[in-house]
């Protein structure tokens, strides 16, 4: 195997001191004659000398690597989030290390420990665990932490989203179309974002003087890492539950677009016409939510923009650690398409 060329080899080949070689190759400001500089550069070129960045990074306590942890890599929403992060990282000559927690809090903690061992400069975390003890350990080791979506504690910088407003916006949109029997199709309430979205739905119902029907709040009782297929199956199961009710709702607010698309498929297979018989609003605005038939009305989470902001904030914190930073919260945007219509008339619903 070919031996790695060192500065000692370059020094011997060029006939100058190791110190001079080091100064030339490091582009130091220390004065070196032009003749010496050319000797070093010519020797380095002839010997195919490659600069070893590892030592430099260790001296600077920097790896130029930023860890990213997401709940899964198959949901298009998280794919867009990571793409936004990656675009900013590339522009600033940083590398990203992507990990999936597989919706498992213990795997998430294992991911964090692995990144601590790798001495990454920072971690962008879409947390499902919600515990801050391990993050505090990472921070004490000099690792910068920024949480995305979830707010773990007031000490962490985060790039978040007003999920309560998103739930309220979706519910209010349906009420503006005359719907009063509105279901919520969701998942386990094990993350702040889910709890907040449900609270927004409930707040709008309460403000309108409408009683919440417990059977119309459907929450998946299982969480598994099966990517978008699992979330779509949640939507199918939720729709089957609604079809079995004696008094079926006229509209549904869905926790995400995958659930919405699964529900739409099941409702359509049962003979319901969307949106004439039942209206659907999703959440996320994933890339293919506008490709369904009918096209899905949804709430845009601006995932790519969230990723960009998170990475920009991280790099600024690494480069300028003494400049104060504040957390950012994005506002929801209603994307009106074809899956919402006026409530059916004369069906006896309140």
């Amino acid at each position: 195997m070919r031996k790695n060329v060192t500065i000692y080899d370059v020094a011997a080949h060029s006939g100058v001191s190791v110190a001079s070689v080091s100064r030339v190759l490091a582009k130091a400001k220390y004065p070196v004659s032009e003749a010496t500089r050319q000797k070093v550069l010519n020797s380095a070129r002839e010997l195919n000398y490659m600069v070893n960045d590892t030592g430099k990074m260790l001296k600077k306590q920097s790896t130029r690597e930023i860890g990213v942890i997401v709940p899964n890599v198959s949901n298009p929403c998280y794919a867009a989030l990571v793409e936004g992060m990656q675009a900013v990282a590339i522009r600033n000559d940083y590398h990203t290390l992507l990990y999936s927690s597989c919706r498992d809090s213990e795997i998430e903690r294992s991911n964090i420990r692995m990144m601590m061992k790798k001495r990454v400069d920072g971690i962008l975390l879409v947390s499902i665990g919600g515990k801050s003890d391990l993050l505090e350990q990472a921070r004490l080791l000099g690792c910068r932490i920024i949480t995305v979506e979830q707010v773990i504690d007031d000490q962490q910088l985060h790039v978040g989203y007003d999920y309560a407003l998103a739930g309220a916006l979706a519910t209010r949109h349906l009420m503006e179309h005359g719907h009063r029997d509105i279901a919520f199709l969701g998942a386990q309430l094990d993350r702040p974002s889910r709890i907040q979205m449900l609270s927004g739905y409930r707040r709008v119902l309460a403000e309108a003087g409408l009683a919440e029907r417990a059977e119309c709040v459907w929450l998946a009782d299982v969480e598994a890492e099966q990517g978008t297929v699992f979330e779509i199956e949640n939507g199918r199961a939720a729709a089957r539950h609604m079809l079995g009710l004696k008094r079926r709702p006229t509209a549904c607010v869905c926790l995400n677009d995958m659930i919405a698309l699964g529900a739409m498929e099941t409702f359509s297979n049962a003979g319901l016409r969307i949106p004439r018989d039942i209206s659907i609003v999703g959440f996320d605005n994933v890339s293919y939510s506008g490709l369904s038939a009918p096209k899905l009305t949804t709430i845009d989470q601006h995932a790519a923009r969230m990723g960009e902001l998170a990475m920009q904030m991280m790099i600024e914190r690494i480069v300028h650690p003494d400049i104060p930073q504040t957390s950012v919260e994005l506002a929801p945007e209603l994307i009106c398409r074809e899956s919402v219509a006026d409530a059916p008339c004369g069906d006896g619903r309140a």
Side-chain angles (χ1 to χ4, degrees), residues 16-52:
V16 302
S17 70
V18 172
S20 293
V21 171
S22 177
R23 289 163 186 160
V24 172
L25 296 179
K27 298 179 181 180
K29 294 182 179 180
Y30 191 92
V32 176
S33 71
E34 181 61 22
T36 297
R37 193 176 76 85
Q38 287 302 325
K39 284 182 180 179
V40 170
L41 293 177
N42 289 337
S43 292
R45 191 178 302 112
E46 291 175 20
L47 296 174
N48 292 319
Y49 172 76
M50 300 291 291
V51 176
N52 184 353

Side-chain angles (χ1 to χ4, degrees), residues 302-319:
H302 303 292
R305 181 57 180 157
M306 188 181 293
E308 291 172 359
L309 288 172
M311 185 61 76
Q312 286 171 4
M313 184 183 292
M314 175 61 75
I315 293 173
E316 287 170 5
R317 196 171 192 191
I318 293 169
V319 177

Side-chain angles (χ1 to χ4, degrees), residues 69-81:
I69 304 176
V70 295
N72 70 70
V73 293
S74 51
N75 188 314
C77 179
Y78 293 126
L81 182 78

Side-chain angles (χ1 to χ4, degrees), residues 326-338:
T326 57
S327 295
V328 176
E329 188 171 85
L330 300 180
E333 178 186 359
L334 178 67
I335 306 298
C336 294
R337 294 195 179 105
E338 302 169 350

Side-chain angles (χ1 to χ4, degrees), residues 58-105:
L58 289 174
K59 288 180 181 179
K60 294 179 180 178
Q61 294 296 305
S62 173
T63 61
R64 298 197 74 81
E65 292 180 336
I66 296 172
V68 176
I69 304 176
V70 295
N72 70 70
V73 293
S74 51
N75 188 314
C77 179
Y78 293 126
L81 182 78
V82 172
E83 285 177 2
M85 293 176 177
Q86 181 81 346
V88 174
I90 290 173
R91 287 199 300 268
N92 289 274
D93 195 27
Y94 278 82
H95 304 281
T96 55
L97 301 179
L98 177 61
Y99 286 73
S100 170
S101 65
C102 302
R103 296 192 183 95
D104 187 311
S105 60

